[in-house]
Amino acid sequence: MVAIHHRFTDVDGHRIFYREAGPADAPTVVLLHGYPTSSHMFRALIPRLAEHYHVVAPDHLGFGLSDAPGVDEFDYTFDALARITAGVLSNLGVTRYAIYVQDYGAPIGWRLALADPGAITAIVSQNGNAYEEGFVESFWTDVWAWGHQQDERTESAVRFALSREAIRWQYLHGVPDPTLVDPGTWEHDVALVSRPGNDLVQLRLFRDYSTNRPLYPRLQQYFRDSQVPLLAVWGENDEIFGPAGAKAFATDLPDARIALLDGGHFLLESALDEVSALILDFLGTTLAR
């Protein structure tokens, strides 16, 4: 049985929680979670990866078991979350690593890659967007409106994303057999998002999401220049980031592996065996070079 360690580290005065497993001298894989979850989303994947790799899965500031200072104490932006993540890796002495990015983990991971391209050995994107083609318009209209103008109407629209109904939908939509998804997943997230003041943290990040789109040209240039090995394993029924977002990676990375699976946004909850097999095959080939 693989031992998974549950640890904290201090970054700029903030206590950041992370899960760590696997041989310290093995290649490192950093798992970056999305909204509204935490490293909890990787609880079943970590043991499989840790048989072969050193795995690090932090909770972003404001999420999971990491500190969640109020918006009057910390300026929540994706730039800031990326700096915190870089601090975690620096504290652990991790200088070369593969990344697994999903949802919010993608813009955080993209910033790490742009800041230090040589650090990234490989990328696994699981419904982690990097192209305009990936945005499903029906979902993102309210987010773009909130980013453009903050008022009572636009706030009301995005606040729905904080509700139990919306978080449950994120886990269940597009899943062929919803009974495979443990209800504890969304209840875990609802409890943390419902902490006093965390609603304002999430609203601040919803507002800042618009800053990710202008990064895409630089990111795509990085893909073209580096030809970084990439696996896009995607729930093809995702109504947040559609399958066109997975296929778009091939535009700049002709050798990218693209796998569309019958599932939704949180693919690990319903297709763990398929996803982990694809990742292990990809990393086994790529990191052995």
Side-chain angles (χ1 to χ4, degrees):
M1 181 177 177
V2 171
I4 301 176
H5 302 276
H6 304 84
R7 295 176 164 140
F8 291 88
T9 188
D10 183 274
V11 179
D12 296 338
H14 302 293
R15 195 166 183 249
I16 304 299
F17 174 79
Y18 65 99
R19 301 169 197 251
E20 185 174 22
D25 59 350
T28 296
V29 180
V30 177
L31 310 179
L32 300 174
H33 69 82
Y35 170 85
T37 186
S38 63
S39 62
H40 181 260
M41 73 170 281
F42 301 118
R43 64 198 179 281
L45 179 64
I46 290 172
R48 301 185 183 212
L49 298 184
E51 292 282 357
H52 309 279
Y53 303 104
H54 172 224
V55 183
V56 177
D59 287 355
H60 308 315
L61 190 75
F63 293 80
L65 300 180
S66 289
D67 280 353
V71 295
D72 55 340
E73 304 171 80
F74 186 84
D75 185 15
Y76 283 89
T77 65
F78 285 92
D79 284 345
L81 294 187
R83 287 195 298 270
I84 294 286
T85 305
V88 171
L89 299 178
S90 177
N91 287 356
L92 299 182
V94 173
T95 58
R96 292 265 294 164
Y97 53 95
I99 52 175
Y100 175 125
V101 300
Q102 191 265 352
D103 191 82
Y104 275 12
I108 293 169
W110 304 151
R111 283 167 169 79
L112 296 176
L114 291 173
D116 188 1
I120 307 301
T121 56
I123 297 172
V124 175
S125 177
Q126 187 258 292
N127 299 69
N129 199 50
Y131 292 85
E132 289 289 333
E133 293 91 328
F135 292 115
V136 177
E137 184 177 357
S138 59
F139 178 88
W140 287 96
T141 298
D142 291 337
V143 179
W144 303 143
W146 170 244
H148 177 70
Q149 180 174 326
Q150 295 80 55
D151 57 32
E152 185 176 342
R153 181 190 62 82
T154 57
E155 179 178 330
S156 176
V158 293
R159 266 192 178 276
F160 177 70
L162 306 175
S163 68
R164 174 177 277 103
E165 180 182 353
I167 292 173
R168 178 178 180 271
W169 173 84
Q170 285 212 26
Y171 277 95
L172 295 185
H173 82 270
V175 178
D177 182 358
T179 66
L180 292 174
V181 182
D182 181 355
T185 55
W186 65 78
E187 293 297 341
H188 177 272
D189 294 349
V190 169
L192 291 169
V193 169
S194 300
R195 290 173 292 176
N198 199 256
D199 59 336
L200 300 181
V201 169
Q202 303 307 333
L203 289 174
R204 188 68 61 88
L205 288 171
F206 292 165
R207 187 182 76 183
D208 195 62
Y209 200 91
S210 296
T211 66
N212 296 324
R213 299 171 81 183
L215 286 181
Y216 285 177
R218 284 181 57 208
L219 176 64
Q220 292 155 15
Q221 187 64 53
Y222 155 71
F223 290 154
R224 290 191 292 273
D225 291 344
S226 69
Q227 291 301 300
V228 60
L230 183 139
L231 165 67
V233 54
W234 218 267
E236 65 178 342
N237 308 321
D238 189 358
E239 296 177 29
I240 301 173
F241 296 119
K247 296 174 183 177
F249 283 105
T251 305
D252 300 305
L253 295 168
D255 294 329
R257 301 190 194 182
I258 299 170
L260 301 179
L261 304 184
D262 189 8
H265 192 61
F266 285 107
L267 199 54
L268 292 178
E269 300 300 331
S270 60
L272 175 67
D273 289 344
E274 296 93 327
V275 175
S276 57
L278 286 164
I279 294 172
L280 287 169
D281 178 69
F282 168 69
L283 294 179
T285 303
T286 301
L287 300 186
R289 292 176 181 174

